[in-house]
Amino acid sequence: MNLHALRIFTKVADLGSITAAANDLLLSQPAVTIQIRNLEKELGLKLTESKGRGIQLTEEGRFVYEQGLRLFHLEAQIEDKLKLFVAK
């Protein structure tokens, strides 16, 4: 799984908007859209649906989002612990 695309997807899900996520990540809106489409293609799942000017997660999208949050939280915990080791 492409973790870069997953990180972008979780930001889109957090903000509910591809445009808002693109602005926050300092990426173009088309670049964000391409990453999400590539992630959907890689997983073989539809993760989002259009909803007005924003997006809505599908059931599968909510699962991937929640698991992505868990993964990136674990990553942060590992980094924090490693910093403690380096500080010794």
Side-chain angles (χ1 to χ4, degrees):
M1 177 182 301
N2 182 325
L3 295 181
H4 176 67
L6 181 60
R7 193 175 305 274
I8 291 171
F9 171 72
T10 58
K11 180 59 75 172
V12 169
D14 279 338
L15 299 176
S17 163
I18 290 174
T19 302
N23 290 336
D24 193 69
L25 296 168
L26 303 177
L27 298 170
S28 70
Q29 182 272 333
V32 171
T33 300
I34 288 168
Q35 289 295 321
I36 291 176
R37 296 300 169 244
N38 287 343
L39 182 62
E40 288 179 326
K41 186 176 179 181
E42 179 184 356
L43 299 176
L45 300 170
K46 181 88 171 133
L47 302 176
T48 65
E49 298 173 337
S50 295
K51 181 179 180 186
R53 297 185 67 126
I55 60 105
Q56 180 174 326
L57 299 180
T58 62
E59 179 180 352
E60 296 86 353
R62 282 190 299 278
F63 173 77
V64 171
Y65 169 67
E66 290 166 1
Q67 298 310 305
L69 289 179
R70 290 181 60 210
L71 176 66
F72 297 129
H73 179 72
L74 179 59
E75 176 189 36
Q77 288 179 319
I78 291 168
E79 288 173 353
D80 290 345
K81 186 67 171 184
L82 291 175
K83 286 177 188 173
L84 293 174
F85 291 140
V86 172
K88 285 185 178 181

